[in-house]
Each structure stands twice: as structure tokens, then as C-alpha cells.
Amino acid sequence: MDYRLSHIRQLESEAIYLMRETAAQFARPVLLFSGGKDSITLAWVARKAFWPAPIPFPFMHVDTGHNFPETLAYRDKFIEKMGARLIVASVQESIDKGLAVEEKGPNPSRNALQSVTLMDAIETHKFDAALGGGRRDEEKARAKERFFSHRDDFGQWDPKNQRPELWDLFNGFKHPGEHFRVFPLSNWTELDVWMYLKEERVPLPGLYFSHRRKVVERDGVLLAESPFITLMEGETYAEETVRFRTIGDATCTGAFRSEAAHIEDIIAEVAASRVTERGGRADDKRSDSAMEDRKKQGYF
């Protein structure tokens, strides 16, 4: 009998090990859940890691207030299916309390403001570890992360001061006020995620599959019609067949022209693509170090 695991099952086993290490080393972990494919995968693995016991930590959604309605509907249905407890940290509440300032202009993004809301929620709930679905193939700054990524008492990340992780040994020691971000999917690729979701038959948001939607092209990014976007002079919405490779703030999450209506089509499309999924994120195009700058300020 061949007991060798497929590479997908090896990745799942590694992620389960990291989930259990997090539960063992930290007193108050939380799983960050956006309703996107990576956090769905993370939640699915968490359920398997602790089954038949319930997942021993809550989920938290940092809600920008500029979400696609489909994302919120899916989030609530999925959380109910998982039997998990959901905490919603609101960017709008951070703005109302004067902790964050809304961007101006025709295309204001709240992505950067999530850092303020996330840090406030971590402090309020006294979380000492936040599990996230970041992958190293997403963006160059995320490739610098460790599995256990230390944050100081200001929530800041120093890419030059990360702890070695040898022989599957993880050092979760921290001083009061500090915390960790934990990335169990670090060794996964976008293609791995889709293959896993297909194998596990996980229900997914319709935004990931091709559909007709009104979009406007701005700086090479297809932005979906939204009450949070102001059209500039000469711009008009046009209906196209698109899908989303990543789900985030509607003001900066770009769609891709695609006919991929089934998960098998998506897997074939991702396998052939030479553009990363974040190639459609308008906020990442603001500077070459946009993501790393936000991460140093507490962004996930």
C-alpha cells in the first residue's frame, strides 16, 4: 500500500499542525475571516484540525464597509455552517470614533484603514495571535513572512527581525502587549488553494465565477459598479463577463475578464496565468512597496 500523501494533503497536514501549535502556545487566538478563498480554506482546515471538538477560537472580519453584498451574505451563511462565533470589527466605527480618516478623491480605498481597526480590535479583545490566510506567492512583501510573525506592542512588523523557524519548532514567546500573526497557508499557492477547495467540495462565493457585471476600466483595473466609486470625466460603466480572483474592498478590487464558470475552469485559468491575483488590486499599484509599508503599520 502506498502511504505517500499528495502535495495537497501534505500542505493540509502542515496547516493543521500550525493550527494546533497556535492553540497550544497562545491564550487568545483569533482567525481572521474575510469571506475570500484563502480565509475559507483556513477556516475549513481549522475545523478539521480540532474535529470533533468545536474550533477553539472565534473568527473576526475586519469590515471596511465597502464590501460586495455577495461577500457579506456568503460570510454569514458560512459562519453559521461552521458553527463558529463571529466578531465584526468595523472600519466605519473607527472613522466615527476619530481613530481613522477617510480618504478623499474619486477612488477612496479603506484598505489602509483596516490596520487601525485591526489593531484596535486586537487590543480590545486582548488577542495574542491572529491567524490569517496570507500566502507567499501573493505579493513580494508577504514572501518575507515567517509562519509565526512577531508584532511589537505597536502592532508593527519588522521584516529584518524575524525569528528562525527550524525543524518545525516555532517560538511564540512575547512580551506583554505584543502579539503574533500566524500564516498556516504560507507554503500554499493560489493553484493549491483552488485544488484543495475542489477536492473538499467547499461551497464558494459566486464572485469567483464568471458572471455579467457592470465595470469601468481605470488605470488598467476593472472596477465593478459600486456606490462607493465616483466616475471621473469621460468614464462610463460597461457590462462585461468577469470574475474576481480576490475579494476585498469594492473600491480597489479589480475584476478579470473571464469565462471560467466552474472550479475546473478556474484551476485551468490560474495554472496558465502569468499575473498574480493581486495584479488586479488598485491599492497595490500605488507604489512598489505599498503592501510592505502597510504591513509595517499593522496591516495583515
Side-chain angles (χ1 to χ4, degrees), residues 34 40 112 134 153 181 186 202 204 211 228 236 254 265 288:
S34 67
I40 292 168
D153 52 355
R181 310 288 171 88
S186 284
V202 181
L204 296 164
H211 58 284
F228 312 116
T236 57
D265 303 328
D288 289 339

Side-chain angles (χ1 to χ4, degrees), residues 10 13 34 40 68 96 132 179 199 203 245 272 276:
Q10 289 176 15
S13 179
S34 67
I40 292 168
F68 294 100
D96 294 342
H179 70 279
E199 198 165 309
R245 287 177 67 184
T276 68

Side-chain angles (χ1 to χ4, degrees), residues 11-150:
L11 291 170
E12 179 192 57
S13 179
E14 177 183 66
I16 286 174
Y17 175 74
L18 284 153
M19 292 273 188
R20 292 171 177 169
E21 278 291 296
T22 302
Q25 292 199 38
F26 299 101
R28 294 182 63 84
V30 65
L31 188 150
L32 299 186
F33 186 81
S34 67
K37 65 185 182 306
D38 298 322
S39 62
I40 292 168
T41 299
L42 197 67
W44 200 264
V45 170
R47 186 170 73 163
K48 296 183 79 169
F50 302 103
W51 184 265
I55 298 172
F57 37 74
F59 291 13
M60 182 166 71
H61 180 205
V62 180
D63 183 358
T64 67
H66 288 172
N67 294 287
F68 294 100
E70 298 97 320
T71 301
L72 297 180
Y74 175 88
R75 178 199 69 185
D76 295 340
K77 186 175 181 180
F78 184 82
I79 293 294
E80 182 180 3
K81 176 182 176 66
M82 300 294 286
R85 179 168 69 92
L86 178 67
I87 297 168
V88 177
S90 168
V91 170
Q92 185 61 56
E93 288 185 11
S94 296
I95 294 171
D96 294 342
K97 290 190 293 186
L99 299 176
V101 179
E102 185 86 80
E103 285 187 1
K104 307 298 182 183
N107 194 31
S109 170
R110 287 186 171 183
N111 255 16
L113 305 188
Q114 290 181 86
S115 304
V116 176
T117 305
L118 175 58
M119 289 305 306
D120 185 51
I122 287 173
E123 183 176 355
T124 298
H125 295 280
K126 302 187 185 309
F127 293 130
D128 53 2
L131 291 142
R135 307 184 326 269
R136 288 175 185 164
D137 72 322
E138 273 185 278
E139 200 276 340
K140 56 189 177 184
R142 287 186 168 168
K144 298 179 181 180
E145 292 277 15
R146 296 287 194 266
F147 286 110
F148 276 26
S149 184
H150 177 260

Side-chain angles (χ1 to χ4, degrees), residues 144-152 156-165 180-181 183 295:
K144 298 179 181 180
E145 292 277 15
R146 296 287 194 266
F147 286 110
F148 276 26
S149 184
H150 177 260
R151 297 299 197 271
D152 66 18
Q156 296 175 321
W157 172 66
D158 182 357
K160 297 180 180 179
N161 187 28
Q162 294 292 297
R163 298 174 181 179
E165 295 178 337
F180 278 78
R181 310 288 171 88
F183 300 100
K295 286 175 70 64

